[in-house]
Amino acid sequence: MQIIKHSSLITRNISDKLTLVPTMGALHDGHLSLINLAKQYSNKIIVSIFVNPTQFGENEDFETYPRNIESDLNKLKNIGIDYVYLPLVNEIYPDGIKIQQYKTGEIGEILEGKTRPHFFDGVAQVVKRFFELLKPDIAIFGEKDFQQLTIIKKMVNDFKLDIKIIGAPIIREKDGLAMSSRNIYLNKQQRLIASELYKTLNWIKKQIKNTHQIDVSLLNAKKILLESGFNKVDYFKLCDSSTLQEINNYQTSDNSRLFCAAYLGNTRLIDNVVI
Ligand code: AMP
């Protein structure tokens, strides 16, 4: 495994298939599952670790985001990849740190984008830059961040980039909590409550399937989460899996997902389940 700080250090043969797995580090089994999936598609794997400043809002956790580079490198060495890309900020942002290249538009303004207005513009920008620099054949993103996956697919389509985007299923803790680098922010009591998010998603999924009453079920979901100990529910919505547009009518709820974001203290958890 080679640790590189500049994209020019990548060597590849014409026959090599390169898969990129972009991450912000503090790696857990969710990230590692993306790497295992990459092994099925390609003979060369590059994992990037970069806490991207442009996707953090002013009051968000850029400075305190968990950084565990030693432990990350050990995990990557053990699982076996070709390159770890730890880019220097000036390779990613040669003209200074600012959002510039791509506006995600409406799809980046709903769900996560409502609370985090510049988030997806920042994500799309850094991912596009990675694609330009590393020229992967394939890139893998987790369904944990389903809106992000959808936006990256749209961006690849908009720019007609020759890259295959693959979505990977959500990896969960035993009690159902979706793995996330930010879960370490949870104290013991919050960690117990956190598992209610996935349970509630599944419960409401059943309710929608049984009653076809979307509005009532979604209101019920918020109530359950607040009663469980979440202090705020940002959204709990049923959306089309391709367009992410809200669905209010059960007849059109094929190919849909339930999406939610809720706070435990200052920690914001997101999750989704397919209907
Ligand atoms: P992050 O380091 O949080 O930016 O995540 C890097 C990639 O790992 C993204 O594509 C995430 O969607 C994916 N990922 C994070 N957590 C999980 C999980 N629990 N299961 C599957 N993929 C995940």
Side-chain angles (χ1 to χ4, degrees):
M1 181 177 90
Q2 218 178 313
I3 301 169
I4 57 170
K5 297 206 166 186
H6 200 276
S7 59
S8 60
L9 297 169
I10 297 175
T11 52
R12 58 193 289 197
N13 298 321
I14 285 184
S15 61
D16 281 339
K17 257 206 162 164
L18 180 69
T19 295
L20 167 67
V21 179
T23 81
M24 298 206 297
L27 301 180
H28 49 68
D29 286 353
H31 296 112
L32 300 185
S33 75
L34 270 50
I35 297 170
N36 282 325
L37 192 60
K39 290 184 178 182
Q40 295 177 23
Y41 288 94
S42 54
N43 66 329
K44 283 218 162 165
I45 299 174
I46 181 162
V47 174
S48 60
I49 299 181
F50 184 62
V51 183
N52 172 38
T54 64
Q55 70 192 63
F56 286 79
E58 269 186 18
N59 299 318
E60 293 185 354
D61 56 347
F62 175 69
E63 297 296 341
T64 54
Y65 191 83
R67 289 162 171 91
N68 285 318
I69 196 67
E70 287 307 318
S71 147
D72 288 351
L73 292 177
N74 276 330
K75 287 179 185 172
L76 294 173
K77 217 184 270 172
N78 286 339
I79 198 168
I81 59 161
D82 298 277
Y83 297 103
V84 189
Y85 178 47
L86 306 176
L88 298 171
V89 173
N90 64 8
E91 186 175 29
I92 304 297
Y93 296 111
D95 302 323
I97 298 175
K98 53 182 183 241
I99 292 183
Q100 47 205 353
Q101 291 189 8
Y102 178 68
K103 291 277 173 219
T104 53
E106 196 204 337
I107 200 165
E109 288 160 9
I110 54 179
L111 299 171
E112 284 299 284
K114 261 200 172 154
T115 302
R116 311 181 71 191
H118 303 296
F119 175 63
F120 288 114
D121 291 341
V123 169
Q125 176 181 15
V126 78
V127 170
K128 184 159 181 285
R129 184 75 181 135
F130 282 156
F131 288 174
E132 284 163 5
L133 293 168
L134 307 173
K135 300 182 179 52
D137 300 286
I138 296 166
I140 302 192
F141 295 84
E143 289 182 350
K144 160 84 173 20
D145 302 283
F146 197 88
Q147 189 175 7
Q148 169 173 281
L149 169 65
T150 308
I151 284 172
I152 300 297
K153 281 182 181 164
K154 180 175 178 292
M155 180 182 78
V156 164
N157 198 39
D158 286 352
F159 287 101
K160 311 252 173 301
L161 303 178
D162 188 18
I163 295 174
K164 186 179 167 69
I165 304 298
I166 294 174
I170 301 175
I171 303 299
R172 299 179 178 282
E173 303 287 356
K174 279 202 182 97
D175 63 0
L177 175 65
M179 289 188 182
S180 162
S181 306
R182 288 188 170 103
N183 289 350
I184 61 158
Y185 294 154
L186 300 171
N187 65 29
K188 261 193 179 161
Q189 199 202 353
Q190 291 170 334
R191 175 62 192 82
L192 284 175
I193 300 169
S195 65
E196 295 302 320
L197 200 59
Y198 183 54
K199 286 185 197 141
T200 306
L201 279 164
N202 280 319
W203 169 244
I204 296 303
K205 168 175 163 169
K206 257 194 212 155
Q207 245 191 38
I208 291 177
K209 285 193 159 186
N210 291 340
T211 66
H212 298 191
Q213 293 194 331
I214 294 174
D215 286 354
V216 177
S217 303
L218 297 178
L219 273 178
N220 204 3
K222 288 186 187 169
K223 201 167 147 247
I224 294 173
L225 287 178
L226 294 174
E227 280 170 3
S228 308
F230 282 84
N231 43 313
K232 187 177 159 197
V233 179
D234 240 358
Y235 58 81
F236 203 113
K237 291 192 168 165
L238 181 69
C239 300
D240 182 273
S241 296
S242 309
T243 62
L244 304 187
Q245 290 300 311
E246 270 181 65
I247 293 175
N248 302 308
N249 178 343
Y250 187 75
Q251 305 314 322
T252 56
S253 69
D254 285 359
N255 184 36
S256 62
R257 274 181 184 258
L258 276 172
F259 293 88
C260 72
Y263 285 87
L264 274 171
N266 293 325
T267 306
R268 191 163 175 282
L269 301 179
I270 62 168
D271 203 347
N272 66 85
V273 294
V274 70
I275 289 277

